Amino acid sequence: MSRRGDWVYENNGGTCVAIAGADYCVVAADTRLSVGYSILTRDHSKICDLADKCVLASSGFQGDIKALHKNLAARELLYQHQHNKRMSCPAMAQLLSNTLYYKRFFPYYAFNVLGGLDSEGKGCVFTYDAVGSYERTGYSAQGTGSTLIMPVLDNQLKSPSPLLLPARDAVTPLSESEAIDLVKDVFASATERDIYTGDKLEIVVINKAGTKREYIELRKD
Amino acid sequence: MADRALPRTAALACVLRFNFLGKQKRREERERGAEDGVRPRVNTFSPEGRLFQVEYAIEAIKLGSTAIGLKTKDGVVLAVEKRVTSPLLEPSSVEKIMEIDEHIGCAMSGLIADARTLVEHAFRVETQNHRFSYGEPMTRESSTQAICDLALRFGEGDEESMSRPFGVSLLIAGHDENGPSLYYTDPSGTFWQCNAKAIGSGSEGADSSLQEQYNKELTLQEAETIALSILKQVMEEKVTPNNVDIAKVAPKYHLYTPAEVEAVIARL
């Protein structure tokens, strides 16, 4: 890490993954919080429920992440009161992008993955960089373990190219339970080699019945 | 460039000096305010509990050109009387129905200049801001509320607000995921959702005709015919494609071309 006196960020590590299905969305993140070579806690959630069909997972600097989640949750509440309905996932996606770009010259050190169901009930995943560039995809991984996980997801789930005509959907053909198993497997693998990923895995599954949470143990070393 | 700059700077200097004088005068008036107890201020209540300026503004709209709106299950129809006062006037330049967003249009009656400001600054900017922030069209009720928020921002002393209320009534036709809708706003900043409404000089006669002729099962075509026939009743001149405007939001906003207006006139 840099020794300059003005370095205001810190990377607290961790990995987030999301997979979109035809009528479900799986969002998962590990629960380890680290700094340098130390662990701060083994039990910290990186996932925030923003709206009833919309969940945000972020890894990076937890100070910025907490502020970002709080900001978005407040905006969602205002929207609810003003427009008499909850925010849809695509609307939250646009809002998150604008919020991140607002701080283009002093960014939120947050690597985000937004997952949920769109207004038609289909799964959607939006993946972001630190300054708000975003894309709707079928699956994504962000954080310290993303370079280990993304190639595996590409191998298993690679969607057709968005340049194809006629346009093909970016959702995976996997069933909900297959997607959950895939997520558990990739996290188990990432935990082996990434020191910042491990302890516990929090899996959130969103489908038309609602939101379900599950915790799986990961390696603690 | 130079010859245009001089009169423009002179005009600017006049406006600035005028504003400065106005500021002085207002400050003196405010200081005298304590003695001036009888005359109600623009945005304060009268002893009987009325806001005179708002009521006077509502009266101003009764002088405006007539506008009619009808809601059907397929969409909403708006028709306005253009009131072309001279054969030298270019009819297509008289714009009394405006597009707000793809799914919202509005017809106006009253002080058209006020209406333009309201539509431009409140309506269009708000709906586009919403699209920018949330990537989706604004719901029709929220956009109507946005306009009405601006209606009561008038008063004295405060540099930012207007000195009088907006003297304009709007018929807002919209379509969102809850279906088509028609809203009616007035200078008091209230809005009502209606199935059919007429505003402007011919509104009383038109409203009673609408009550007789309206029913919920109307098709868009029937609604067009009814709107135009009522307009014909209350207008002084004969209805031609040049002195009326028709628009529909079903589900997207569309302003009728003179040919389409002619087609509706033919069915009258």
Side-chain angles (χ1 to χ4, degrees):
Chain A
M1 269 286 134
S2 154
R3 287 195 176 275
R4 287 169 58 183
D6 60 348
W7 184 251
V8 294
Y9 297 113
E10 199 173 75
N11 191 349
N12 296 122
T15 312
C16 306
V17 165
I19 300 181
D23 60 352
Y24 67 87
C25 184
V26 176
V27 179
D30 72 320
T31 61
R32 174 179 287 177
L33 200 69
S34 348
V35 73
Y37 288 121
S38 312
I39 294 181
L40 290 174
T41 179
R42 298 188 189 276
D43 198 9
H44 178 266
S45 173
K46 297 185 179 55
I47 298 183
C48 175
D49 283 3
L50 289 175
D52 58 353
K53 299 273 184 275
C54 185
V55 164
L56 176 63
S58 324
S59 87
F61 173 42
Q62 280 303 317
D64 276 354
I65 288 170
K66 278 282 170 286
L68 180 64
H69 287 188
K70 203 173 171 187
N71 192 335
L72 291 174
R75 289 295 297 266
E76 203 277 330
L77 194 57
L78 282 175
Y79 182 100
Q80 239 190 314
H81 287 138
Q82 249 190 343
H83 302 104
N84 240 357
K85 57 176 179 171
R86 300 213 72 171
M87 268 182 105
S88 64
C89 202
M92 182 53 83
Q94 180 74 44
L95 179 64
L96 175 53
S97 170
N98 287 344
T99 309
L100 292 170
Y101 196 79
Y102 224 70
K103 284 184 35 93
R104 169 67 177 80
F105 299 110
F106 182 12
Y108 286 108
Y109 195 133
F111 297 98
N112 302 291
V113 178
L114 186 76
L117 301 180
D118 66 12
S119 17
E120 295 160 21
K122 294 209 296 229
C124 59
V125 167
F126 297 90
T127 183
Y128 294 80
D129 71 359
V131 284
S133 160
Y134 79 110
E135 188 192 359
R136 180 172 176 169
T137 56
Y139 59 91
S140 174
Q142 291 278 1
T144 48
S146 63
T147 48
L148 299 167
I149 293 180
M150 212 45 187
V152 178
L153 292 181
D154 282 335
N155 179 281
Q156 296 292 309
L157 303 172
K158 182 82 180 187
S159 307
S161 161
L163 301 171
L164 273 183
L165 274 177
R168 287 178 42 200
D169 247 344
V171 291
T172 162
L174 288 185
S175 76
E176 189 179 307
S177 49
E178 288 174 333
I180 296 175
D181 286 340
L182 178 61
V183 163
K184 292 179 187 172
D185 284 342
V186 295
F187 262 96
S189 309
T191 307
E192 293 293 314
R193 296 287 176 175
D194 177 23
I195 57 172
Y196 298 108
T197 304
D199 291 331
K200 262 209 317 263
L201 172 63
E202 182 182 2
I203 306 184
V204 175
V205 182
I206 307 152
N207 52 27
K208 82 170 170 303
T211 311
K212 205 171 29 115
R213 248 181 180 79
E214 205 184 326
Y215 291 93
I216 313 292
E217 294 294 319
L218 293 173
R219 279 188 69 158
K220 302 195 182 307
D221 63 357
Chain B
M1 223 22 131
D3 49 330
R4 253 187 285 161
L6 195 56
R8 203 188 296 165
T9 350
L12 191 60
C14 285
V15 167
L16 285 175
R17 188 151 171 268
F18 188 75
N19 264 348
F20 177 69
L21 285 177
K23 237 195 270 189
Q24 283 277 69
K25 199 172 169 205
R26 270 178 275 169
R27 208 179 303 140
E28 285 161 18
E29 223 169 84
R30 227 181 305 149
E31 281 155 16
R32 273 190 288 122
E35 304 124 50
D36 199 10
V38 179
R39 178 178 60 91
R41 296 274 191 91
V42 166
N43 58 352
T44 53
F45 286 101
S46 74
E48 304 95 53
R50 298 156 67 179
L51 281 172
F52 280 123
Q53 282 301 306
V54 173
E55 296 189 12
Y56 298 158
I58 295 175
E59 285 300 307
I61 290 153
K62 299 202 178 135
L63 304 166
S65 53
T66 317
I68 300 181
L70 277 125
K71 178 180 91 168
T72 72
K73 45 187 173 22
D74 306 319
V76 190
V77 173
L78 293 170
V80 293
E81 164 201 3
K82 278 211 239 204
R83 217 177 257 180
V84 178
T85 45
S86 147
L88 294 171
L89 193 62
E90 180 63 58
S92 57
S93 72
V94 177
E95 200 185 354
K96 295 198 177 167
I97 302 186
M98 300 179 93
E99 175 177 11
I100 308 302
D101 197 350
E102 262 188 344
H103 62 302
I104 307 180
C106 85
M108 52 196 70
S109 176
L111 272 61
I112 296 300
D114 281 7
R116 289 279 158 74
T117 312
L118 205 53
V119 164
E120 205 51 61
H121 291 292
F123 231 163
R124 286 177 171 166
V125 168
E126 283 299 322
T127 46
Q128 290 318 307
N129 272 343
H130 188 95
R131 273 197 194 262
F132 179 85
S133 302
Y134 304 106
E136 58 176 23
M138 202 170 182
T139 62
R140 35 190 180 68
E141 185 166 340
S142 304
S143 45
T144 311
Q145 181 69 67
I147 275 239
C148 294
D149 284 345
L150 203 65
L152 283 176
R153 252 181 247 167
F154 64 92
E156 280 169 37
D158 182 5
E159 307 299 334
E160 314 243 314
S161 56
M162 299 219 331
S163 55
R164 59 168 177 80
F166 286 100
V168 66
S169 222
L170 296 174
L171 283 176
I172 300 166
H175 196 284
D176 69 5
E177 67 257 6
N178 297 328
S181 64
L182 179 65
Y183 285 90
Y184 154 60
T185 71
D186 77 355
S188 69
T190 334
F191 64 93
W192 294 268
Q193 197 174 9
C194 314
N195 287 327
K197 184 88 180 81
I199 55 177
S201 52
S203 60
E204 278 167 43
D207 260 341
S208 41
S209 302
L210 278 173
Q211 279 193 26
E212 292 162 23
Q213 300 186 38
Y214 180 82
N215 71 68
K216 295 204 168 144
E217 306 306 316
L218 287 175
T219 63
L220 208 63
Q221 272 221 335
E222 289 169 350
E224 288 167 9
T225 323
I226 293 179
L228 214 54
S229 70
I230 296 179
L231 211 52
K232 181 172 155 193
Q233 273 178 287
V234 298
M235 271 173 66
E236 287 160 8
E237 316 95 30
K238 199 160 115 48
V239 170
T240 73
N242 281 333
N243 65 3
V244 295
D245 246 343
I246 311 182
K248 67 175 177 186
V249 180
K252 293 230 187 321
Y253 172 84
H254 171 68
L255 184 66
Y256 285 30
T257 61
E260 290 171 319
V261 178
E262 184 68 60
V264 183
I265 296 180
R267 293 205 304 264
L268 281 180

PDB file of all heavy atoms in Angstrom, chain A residues 75 79 82-83 85 87 91 94-95 98, chain B residues 130 132-136 138-139 142 177:
ATOM      1  N   ARG A  75     -32.670   7.232  -1.001  1.00  0.00           N
ATOM      2  CA  ARG A  75     -33.257   7.642  -2.272  1.00  0.00           C
ATOM      3  C   ARG A  75     -34.424   6.747  -2.640  1.00  0.00           C
ATOM      4  O   ARG A  75     -35.412   7.195  -3.210  1.00  0.00           O
ATOM      5  CB  ARG A  75     -32.219   7.600  -3.392  1.00  0.00           C
ATOM      6  CG  ARG A  75     -31.171   8.669  -3.321  1.00  0.00           C
ATOM      7  CD  ARG A  75     -31.743  10.045  -3.512  1.00  0.00           C
ATOM      8  NE  ARG A  75     -32.324  10.199  -4.816  1.00  0.00           N
ATOM      9  CZ  ARG A  75     -31.696  10.687  -5.876  1.00  0.00           C
ATOM     10  NH1 ARG A  75     -30.432  11.038  -5.806  1.00  0.00           N
ATOM     11  NH2 ARG A  75     -32.323  10.808  -7.019  1.00  0.00           N
ATOM     12  N   TYR A  79     -38.281   7.901  -3.276  1.00  0.00           N
ATOM     13  CA  TYR A  79     -38.967   7.525  -4.517  1.00  0.00           C
ATOM     14  C   TYR A  79     -40.300   6.870  -4.199  1.00  0.00           C
ATOM     15  O   TYR A  79     -41.322   7.176  -4.804  1.00  0.00           O
ATOM     16  CB  TYR A  79     -38.079   6.559  -5.295  1.00  0.00           C
ATOM     17  CG  TYR A  79     -38.632   6.112  -6.620  1.00  0.00           C
ATOM     18  CD1 TYR A  79     -38.184   6.702  -7.797  1.00  0.00           C
ATOM     19  CD2 TYR A  79     -39.559   5.090  -6.709  1.00  0.00           C
ATOM     20  CE1 TYR A  79     -38.653   6.277  -9.023  1.00  0.00           C
ATOM     21  CE2 TYR A  79     -40.038   4.662  -7.927  1.00  0.00           C
ATOM     22  CZ  TYR A  79     -39.583   5.259  -9.078  1.00  0.00           C
ATOM     23  OH  TYR A  79     -40.047   4.835 -10.289  1.00  0.00           O
ATOM     24  N   GLN A  82     -42.722   9.493  -3.144  1.00  0.00           N
ATOM     25  CA  GLN A  82     -43.106  10.427  -4.191  1.00  0.00           C
ATOM     26  C   GLN A  82     -43.953   9.786  -5.275  1.00  0.00           C
ATOM     27  O   GLN A  82     -44.855  10.400  -5.806  1.00  0.00           O
ATOM     28  CB  GLN A  82     -41.840  10.961  -4.862  1.00  0.00           C
ATOM     29  CG  GLN A  82     -41.598  12.390  -4.584  1.00  0.00           C
ATOM     30  CD  GLN A  82     -40.486  12.939  -5.440  1.00  0.00           C
ATOM     31  OE1 GLN A  82     -39.692  12.205  -6.028  1.00  0.00           O
ATOM     32  NE2 GLN A  82     -40.428  14.233  -5.541  1.00  0.00           N
ATOM     33  N   HIS A  83     -43.612   8.561  -5.662  1.00  0.00           N
ATOM     34  CA  HIS A  83     -44.258   7.969  -6.825  1.00  0.00           C
ATOM     35  C   HIS A  83     -45.164   6.813  -6.488  1.00  0.00           C
ATOM     36  O   HIS A  83     -45.671   6.153  -7.381  1.00  0.00           O
ATOM     37  CB  HIS A  83     -43.191   7.505  -7.832  1.00  0.00           C
ATOM     38  CG  HIS A  83     -42.308   8.620  -8.278  1.00  0.00           C
ATOM     39  ND1 HIS A  83     -41.033   8.783  -7.819  1.00  0.00           N
ATOM     40  CD2 HIS A  83     -42.519   9.654  -9.100  1.00  0.00           C
ATOM     41  CE1 HIS A  83     -40.502   9.864  -8.356  1.00  0.00           C
ATOM     42  NE2 HIS A  83     -41.384  10.418  -9.134  1.00  0.00           N
ATOM     43  N   LYS A  85     -44.787   3.836  -5.508  1.00  0.00           N
ATOM     44  CA  LYS A  85     -44.421   2.467  -5.882  1.00  0.00           C
ATOM     45  C   LYS A  85     -42.945   2.276  -5.534  1.00  0.00           C
ATOM     46  O   LYS A  85     -42.196   3.242  -5.396  1.00  0.00           O
ATOM     47  CB  LYS A  85     -44.640   2.222  -7.374  1.00  0.00           C
ATOM     48  CG  LYS A  85     -43.882   3.167  -8.291  1.00  0.00           C
ATOM     49  CD  LYS A  85     -44.052   2.813  -9.758  1.00  0.00           C
ATOM     50  CE  LYS A  85     -43.303   3.796 -10.626  1.00  0.00           C
ATOM     51  NZ  LYS A  85     -43.214   3.457 -12.016  1.00  0.00           N
ATOM     52  N   MET A  87     -39.000   1.131  -6.217  1.00  0.00           N
ATOM     53  CA  MET A  87     -38.147   1.279  -7.395  1.00  0.00           C
ATOM     54  C   MET A  87     -37.941  -0.057  -8.070  1.00  0.00           C
ATOM     55  O   MET A  87     -37.737  -1.061  -7.403  1.00  0.00           O
ATOM     56  CB  MET A  87     -36.774   1.806  -6.978  1.00  0.00           C
ATOM     57  CG  MET A  87     -36.698   3.293  -7.023  1.00  0.00           C
ATOM     58  SD  MET A  87     -35.086   3.855  -6.587  1.00  0.00           S
ATOM     59  CE  MET A  87     -34.453   4.307  -8.134  1.00  0.00           C
ATOM     60  N   ALA A  91     -34.452   0.836 -12.704  1.00  0.00           N
ATOM     61  CA  ALA A  91     -34.421   2.231 -12.247  1.00  0.00           C
ATOM     62  C   ALA A  91     -33.316   2.406 -11.220  1.00  0.00           C
ATOM     63  O   ALA A  91     -32.568   3.393 -11.239  1.00  0.00           O
ATOM     64  CB  ALA A  91     -35.766   2.616 -11.647  1.00  0.00           C
ATOM     65  N   GLN A  94     -29.908   2.622 -12.897  1.00  0.00           N
ATOM     66  CA  GLN A  94     -29.590   3.954 -13.437  1.00  0.00           C
ATOM     67  C   GLN A  94     -29.229   4.902 -12.308  1.00  0.00           C
ATOM     68  O   GLN A  94     -28.291   5.699 -12.406  1.00  0.00           O
ATOM     69  CB  GLN A  94     -30.810   4.479 -14.203  1.00  0.00           C
ATOM     70  CG  GLN A  94     -30.639   5.827 -14.818  1.00  0.00           C
ATOM     71  CD  GLN A  94     -29.752   5.805 -16.027  1.00  0.00           C
ATOM     72  OE1 GLN A  94     -29.857   4.936 -16.876  1.00  0.00           O
ATOM     73  NE2 GLN A  94     -28.843   6.749 -16.109  1.00  0.00           N
ATOM     74  N   LEU A  95     -29.970   4.822 -11.189  1.00  0.00           N
ATOM     75  CA  LEU A  95     -29.702   5.705 -10.058  1.00  0.00           C
ATOM     76  C   LEU A  95     -28.316   5.448  -9.494  1.00  0.00           C
ATOM     77  O   LEU A  95     -27.571   6.384  -9.167  1.00  0.00           O
ATOM     78  CB  LEU A  95     -30.757   5.480  -8.962  1.00  0.00           C
ATOM     79  CG  LEU A  95     -30.568   6.322  -7.710  1.00  0.00           C
ATOM     80  CD1 LEU A  95     -30.713   7.781  -8.036  1.00  0.00           C
ATOM     81  CD2 LEU A  95     -31.557   5.913  -6.647  1.00  0.00           C
ATOM     82  N   ASN A  98     -25.713   6.994 -11.756  1.00  0.00           N
ATOM     83  CA  ASN A  98     -25.618   8.452 -11.604  1.00  0.00           C
ATOM     84  C   ASN A  98     -24.959   8.827 -10.289  1.00  0.00           C
ATOM     85  O   ASN A  98     -24.163   9.776 -10.230  1.00  0.00           O
ATOM     86  CB  ASN A  98     -27.016   9.077 -11.661  1.00  0.00           C
ATOM     87  CG  ASN A  98     -27.578   9.063 -13.063  1.00  0.00           C
ATOM     88  OD1 ASN A  98     -26.860   8.867 -14.023  1.00  0.00           O
ATOM     89  ND2 ASN A  98     -28.868   9.262 -13.182  1.00  0.00           N
TER      90      ASN A  98
ATOM     91  N   HIS B 130     -36.238  12.935 -14.355  1.00  0.00           N
ATOM     92  CA  HIS B 130     -36.595  11.611 -13.885  1.00  0.00           C
ATOM     93  C   HIS B 130     -36.030  10.534 -14.799  1.00  0.00           C
ATOM     94  O   HIS B 130     -35.474   9.539 -14.337  1.00  0.00           O
ATOM     95  CB  HIS B 130     -38.115  11.485 -13.801  1.00  0.00           C
ATOM     96  CG  HIS B 130     -38.570  10.235 -13.145  1.00  0.00           C
ATOM     97  ND1 HIS B 130     -38.883  10.153 -11.809  1.00  0.00           N
ATOM     98  CD2 HIS B 130     -38.740   8.990 -13.634  1.00  0.00           C
ATOM     99  CE1 HIS B 130     -39.228   8.931 -11.510  1.00  0.00           C
ATOM    100  NE2 HIS B 130     -39.158   8.189 -12.597  1.00  0.00           N
ATOM    101  N   PHE B 132     -33.429  10.773 -16.592  1.00  0.00           N
ATOM    102  CA  PHE B 132     -31.981  10.754 -16.405  1.00  0.00           C
ATOM    103  C   PHE B 132     -31.597   9.974 -15.153  1.00  0.00           C
ATOM    104  O   PHE B 132     -30.676   9.174 -15.156  1.00  0.00           O
ATOM    105  CB  PHE B 132     -31.459  12.191 -16.303  1.00  0.00           C
ATOM    106  CG  PHE B 132     -29.980  12.270 -16.089  1.00  0.00           C
ATOM    107  CD1 PHE B 132     -29.120  12.223 -17.168  1.00  0.00           C
ATOM    108  CD2 PHE B 132     -29.445  12.380 -14.821  1.00  0.00           C
ATOM    109  CE1 PHE B 132     -27.750  12.286 -16.985  1.00  0.00           C
ATOM    110  CE2 PHE B 132     -28.077  12.441 -14.626  1.00  0.00           C
ATOM    111  CZ  PHE B 132     -27.225  12.393 -15.714  1.00  0.00           C
ATOM    112  N   SER B 133     -32.337  10.223 -14.070  1.00  0.00           N
ATOM    113  CA  SER B 133     -31.951   9.585 -12.811  1.00  0.00           C
ATOM    114  C   SER B 133     -32.369   8.135 -12.732  1.00  0.00           C
ATOM    115  O   SER B 133     -31.675   7.336 -12.120  1.00  0.00           O
ATOM    116  CB  SER B 133     -32.606  10.304 -11.629  1.00  0.00           C
ATOM    117  OG  SER B 133     -32.240  11.647 -11.640  1.00  0.00           O
ATOM    118  N   TYR B 134     -33.517   7.802 -13.296  1.00  0.00           N
ATOM    119  CA  TYR B 134     -34.057   6.460 -13.077  1.00  0.00           C
ATOM    120  C   TYR B 134     -34.233   5.648 -14.349  1.00  0.00           C
ATOM    121  O   TYR B 134     -34.674   4.520 -14.287  1.00  0.00           O
ATOM    122  CB  TYR B 134     -35.403   6.545 -12.344  1.00  0.00           C
ATOM    123  CG  TYR B 134     -35.322   7.299 -11.043  1.00  0.00           C
ATOM    124  CD1 TYR B 134     -35.835   8.573 -10.931  1.00  0.00           C
ATOM    125  CD2 TYR B 134     -34.678   6.749  -9.950  1.00  0.00           C
ATOM    126  CE1 TYR B 134     -35.731   9.274  -9.751  1.00  0.00           C
ATOM    127  CE2 TYR B 134     -34.577   7.447  -8.757  1.00  0.00           C
ATOM    128  CZ  TYR B 134     -35.110   8.710  -8.671  1.00  0.00           C
ATOM    129  OH  TYR B 134     -35.000   9.405  -7.511  1.00  0.00           O
ATOM    130  N   GLY B 135     -33.893   6.199 -15.492  1.00  0.00           N
ATOM    131  CA  GLY B 135     -33.972   5.454 -16.742  1.00  0.00           C
ATOM    132  C   GLY B 135     -35.373   4.989 -17.088  1.00  0.00           C
ATOM    133  O   GLY B 135     -35.539   4.005 -17.799  1.00  0.00           O
ATOM    134  N   GLU B 136     -36.418   5.630 -16.583  1.00  0.00           N
ATOM    135  CA  GLU B 136     -37.779   5.190 -16.866  1.00  0.00           C
ATOM    136  C   GLU B 136     -38.676   6.418 -16.973  1.00  0.00           C
ATOM    137  O   GLU B 136     -38.329   7.486 -16.454  1.00  0.00           O
ATOM    138  CB  GLU B 136     -38.287   4.297 -15.730  1.00  0.00           C
ATOM    139  CG  GLU B 136     -38.246   5.010 -14.392  1.00  0.00           C
ATOM    140  CD  GLU B 136     -38.825   4.237 -13.235  1.00  0.00           C
ATOM    141  OE1 GLU B 136     -38.883   3.002 -13.313  1.00  0.00           O
ATOM    142  OE2 GLU B 136     -39.215   4.894 -12.274  1.00  0.00           O
ATOM    143  N   MET B 138     -41.618   9.051 -16.117  1.00  0.00           N
ATOM    144  CA  MET B 138     -42.198   9.463 -14.839  1.00  0.00           C
ATOM    145  C   MET B 138     -43.671   9.084 -14.826  1.00  0.00           C
ATOM    146  O   MET B 138     -44.322   9.179 -15.856  1.00  0.00           O
ATOM    147  CB  MET B 138     -42.063  10.979 -14.729  1.00  0.00           C
ATOM    148  CG  MET B 138     -42.107  11.515 -13.339  1.00  0.00           C
ATOM    149  SD  MET B 138     -41.634  13.238 -13.368  1.00  0.00           S
ATOM    150  CE  MET B 138     -41.688  13.627 -11.652  1.00  0.00           C
ATOM    151  N   THR B 139     -44.206   8.687 -13.659  1.00  0.00           N
ATOM    152  CA  THR B 139     -45.634   8.372 -13.642  1.00  0.00           C
ATOM    153  C   THR B 139     -46.409   9.662 -13.830  1.00  0.00           C
ATOM    154  O   THR B 139     -45.960  10.737 -13.461  1.00  0.00           O
ATOM    155  CB  THR B 139     -46.089   7.733 -12.321  1.00  0.00           C
ATOM    156  OG1 THR B 139     -45.863   8.670 -11.265  1.00  0.00           O
ATOM    157  CG2 THR B 139     -45.347   6.448 -12.034  1.00  0.00           C
ATOM    158  N   SER B 142     -47.106  11.767 -10.639  1.00  0.00           N
ATOM    159  CA  SER B 142     -45.934  12.476 -10.119  1.00  0.00           C
ATOM    160  C   SER B 142     -45.591  13.678 -10.965  1.00  0.00           C
ATOM    161  O   SER B 142     -45.191  14.716 -10.442  1.00  0.00           O
ATOM    162  CB  SER B 142     -44.725  11.551 -10.087  1.00  0.00           C
ATOM    163  OG  SER B 142     -45.011  10.417  -9.350  1.00  0.00           O
ATOM    164  N   GLU B 177     -48.102   2.806 -16.701  1.00  0.00           N
ATOM    165  CA  GLU B 177     -48.446   1.393 -16.519  1.00  0.00           C
ATOM    166  C   GLU B 177     -49.827   1.199 -15.914  1.00  0.00           C
ATOM    167  O   GLU B 177     -50.373   0.097 -15.972  1.00  0.00           O
ATOM    168  CB  GLU B 177     -47.405   0.676 -15.652  1.00  0.00           C
ATOM    169  CG  GLU B 177     -47.372   1.132 -14.214  1.00  0.00           C
ATOM    170  CD  GLU B 177     -46.198   2.045 -13.922  1.00  0.00           C
ATOM    171  OE1 GLU B 177     -45.491   2.415 -14.859  1.00  0.00           O
ATOM    172  OE2 GLU B 177     -46.005   2.388 -12.759  1.00  0.00           O
TER     173      GLU B 177
END
